[in-house]
Structure formats: structure tokens, C-alpha cells
Amino acid sequence: MDFLRPASWEEALAAKAEHPTAVPIAGGTDVMVEINFDHRRPEYLLDLNRIELLREWEVGEENVQLGASVPYTRIMEHLRAELPGLALASHTVASPQIRNRGGVGGNLGTASPAGDAHPALLAAGAEVEVESVRGTRFIPIDEFYTGVKRNALQPDELIKTVHIKKAGGPQQYSKVGTRNAMVIAVCAFGLALHPETRTVRTGIGSAAPTPVRAKEAEDFLNAALEEGGFWDNGKIITPSIAKQFAELASGACNPIDDVRGTAKYRRHAVGIMARRTLGWTWEQYRGSARTLEGAA
């Protein structure tokens, strides 16, 4: 196994073009596990740790540009207000040591359905900027996952930046695991309210071959909230709406039985998380609406 260690982004792109099978490594929290257990033996490892721009982020008027190697710890410390769903997901990643090393780019590159960042990125509506010596592409997060541990990257492309809209409303994230730390998700659920478009987006992890959105649940809830005037009147969402949303979210799953949980349990747990995160986010929304009314 050869170890490639470029000193700049341009050198990294050139190395990837010359060695398309090279496996990028930054935090190494996924790749090194596979290598240590001899599940993977790449011909080349492409070390990206000397490339500073991958560890940088920028908060603009509407979006956050998040470098692929920004550690989860930094997201938790510095981007909690702008990216609350992703910050909550970051809290659930493994241990403090791994949160100091791992980043969103690694989750995206590995594309495991159990990756902790995926539900939050789907719910927020992120876009992935990838680059090669041939140029730059922007891939909507909905189009990024193409199969079990497969993504839309071309062999010579590297993930550079993740573009995520700053939260315009409450976001939540929930994860089921066998313990509170150092655990792969049995299943996970992310939900984001987007008051500016009067829509709700979801993300489900570890309950299908790829991370997925519960689109039928979203469509149902978007219609129910609009028809009932909930965005304007701030009423409590009725139990019947919450129940139907949860059932549709559960129906979006296509899980398997494995050592971490059964398919039946995963579907049930996703429904519970959908109902709970809806309740949490809507209560936050109602609270913020009351605060604005009081200030007026």
C-alpha cells in the first residue's frame, strides 16, 4: 500500500487524477477500521491532512460553506446556531477523540447508510461541492447516495465543501443505539422546519440501503400544515396529524435484520423518532413565534 501525501489541494487533485483508485483519508474513522479488519486493502491512500482549506468554514448571509474535513467538534462549538441539526448529530458521533478527527466529508465519502451526518444533511437540503482536475460539480444531497456505501463521485473527484443553508427554523436529530457513545446507529432521524418555504424536510439513517428522506411523510405534513393554517396560527399539531406523519415516515424505511436490530424494530423506532422530533421542532417554532409577537 502506497501513501500519497499532497501539500496542497491542487496536488491532491493531481494525485487523484493519476491514481483514481486512491482512497482519501483525513480523520480515518471509517477507512482505518476497514483496513484494520482487512475488509479493504487499497493500493493507495491519499492523505488530505496537510490541506488546510478542507478544515475551514465560512458563514455567509444564507449558507454555510463547510470544508470536508472540519471536525465534528468544531461544528458543535461554532455552528450550533447556523446548523442546529448537524450540531446535534455531531454530538452523537462516537467519542470526543473521534469527534476531534472525523468530519462530514468522511461520512459522505464512505456513504454508509449508518453515517451520523446524513439525516441532518438531507433534512437541511445540503449540496456537495466536488472537484477534479476537470472542474467542479455541485451535487444535491438527494442525488449523492447511489447505493450501499456508494455515492455519485467520479473516480477522479474529491469532496471539497458542503454547502448548507443556515437554519431558518428549528431542527432536530434523534438516534437509536445500544448505548450512548461509541455506537453505530441502529437507526436515526433528522427533521428540519423551513418556515420561509413553509416546508418540512426529513432524513433517515440506517433504515434503508442508503440514507433517505421520508418524502410521502413530508408531502402529507406540508399539506396538513398549510391547510390548517398552522404556520400562521401557531396551533399545536393534532395527534392525528402527528400519528399519520410517523406512520408514513416508518413506511419510507426499507431496513434489514442485522446484529444491531431487526427490520421491524427499525421501522417502529423511526416512527417514534419522527413523532417526537416533530413535536420538539414544532414546539420550538411556536415558542419563537410567540416571542416575536411579544416583541412586536
Side-chain angles (χ1 to χ4, degrees), residues 269-286:
V270 165
I272 296 296
M273 289 189 290
R275 179 173 53 80
R276 289 179 178 175
T277 54
L278 175 59
W280 296 335
T281 51
W282 194 254
E283 189 55 36
Q284 285 179 270
Y285 175 75
R286 294 180 68 241

Side-chain angles (χ1 to χ4, degrees), residues 83-132:
L83 307 176
L86 187 57
L88 288 169
S90 299
H91 269 284
T92 74
V93 174
S95 65
Q97 295 89 340
I98 292 175
R99 290 194 290 271
N100 286 338
R101 292 285 298 171
V104 172
N107 256 193
L108 289 167
T110 305
S112 165
D116 292 315
H118 303 314
L121 294 174
L122 283 165
E127 190 174 49
V128 185
E129 180 181 355
V130 304
E131 194 169 335
S132 71

Side-chain angles (χ1 to χ4, degrees), residues 54-237:
L54 296 180
R55 292 191 294 275
E56 297 174 351
W57 69 88
E58 181 179 342
V59 179
E61 286 190 16
E62 296 183 356
N63 299 311
V64 175
Q65 297 181 37
L66 187 70
S69 297
V70 173
Y72 291 110
T73 300
R74 296 288 180 266
I75 297 171
M76 292 157 53
E77 292 175 347
H78 301 287
L79 296 170
R80 187 180 302 274
E82 294 82 3
L83 307 176
L86 187 57
L88 288 169
S90 299
H91 269 284
T92 74
V93 174
S95 65
Q97 295 89 340
I98 292 175
R99 290 194 290 271
N100 286 338
R101 292 285 298 171
V104 172
N107 256 193
L108 289 167
T110 305
S112 165
D116 292 315
H118 303 314
L121 294 174
L122 283 165
E127 190 174 49
V128 185
E129 180 181 355
V130 304
E131 194 169 335
S132 71
V133 294
R134 297 176 292 106
T136 300
R137 287 198 301 148
F138 293 85
I139 307 173
I141 193 68
D142 291 342
E143 301 172 13
F144 189 80
Y145 312 107
T146 60
V148 180
K149 294 191 175 182
R150 297 201 307 272
N151 58 44
L153 287 173
Q154 295 298 315
D156 62 342
E157 289 180 325
L158 293 171
I159 299 170
K160 182 179 182 181
T161 307
V162 184
H163 299 260
I164 313 170
K165 273 196 172 184
K166 291 164 64 176
Q171 300 180 358
Q172 277 290 341
Y173 178 88
S174 185
K175 172 180 172 178
V176 173
T178 52
R179 55 186 179 181
N180 288 331
M182 293 298 292
V183 65
I184 300 173
V186 175
C187 51
F189 191 86
L191 188 144
L193 303 185
H194 299 276
E196 68 282 1
T197 56
R198 297 195 173 200
T199 56
V200 176
R201 284 180 63 107
T202 61
I204 301 173
S206 204
T210 68
V212 295
R213 285 169 56 198
K215 291 186 179 180
E216 286 190 24
E218 293 174 14
D219 291 343
F220 162 76
L221 184 59
N222 291 335
L225 294 178
E226 191 63 35
E227 290 170 8
F230 287 91
W231 292 107
D232 295 320
N233 58 38
K235 293 189 301 184
I236 296 174
I237 292 177

Side-chain angles (χ1 to χ4, degrees), residues 1 25 27-38 45:
M1 187 187 307
I25 183 170
T29 57
D30 286 322
V31 173
M32 289 310 300
V33 171
E34 294 185 336
I35 291 175
N36 288 339
F37 282 93
D38 207 25
L45 280 180

